[in-house]
Amino acid sequence: MKFFVLLFCLIFSFELYCQPVLQLEEFASGFTKPVGLIDAGDERVFVICQDGFLRIIQT
């Protein structure tokens, strides 16, 4: 039983160290309640706001 507990702890600790490190970068600001983000596939990003506006960002 102790072996299984030790094995579980080793596997769980290994999973914690294997998580990727994410870094967020702000590329636009000034939106009022954004609810959606869509990549157009080119250099544009569409931001959908709750007030009904669709903003187009050139990245």
Side-chain angles (χ1 to χ4, degrees):
M1 181 68 175
K2 289 181 182 180
F3 175 74
F4 290 115
V5 172
L6 179 62
L7 183 63
F8 177 76
C9 289
L10 287 174
I11 291 172
F12 183 71
S13 65
F14 182 71
E15 287 290 324
L16 289 177
Y17 288 113
C18 291
Q19 298 298 320
V21 177
L22 298 177
Q23 184 175 356
L24 301 178
E25 181 179 325
E26 183 177 324
F27 64 92
S29 63
F31 302 108
T32 56
K33 300 180 183 177
V35 295
L37 186 71
I38 300 172
D39 184 16
D42 50 11
E43 59 209 28
R44 297 176 298 160
V45 176
F46 299 108
V47 179
I48 304 155
C49 296
Q50 190 175 19
D51 57 4
F53 288 104
L54 177 68
R55 312 276 186 201
I56 301 172
I57 308 289
Q58 295 283 354
T59 58

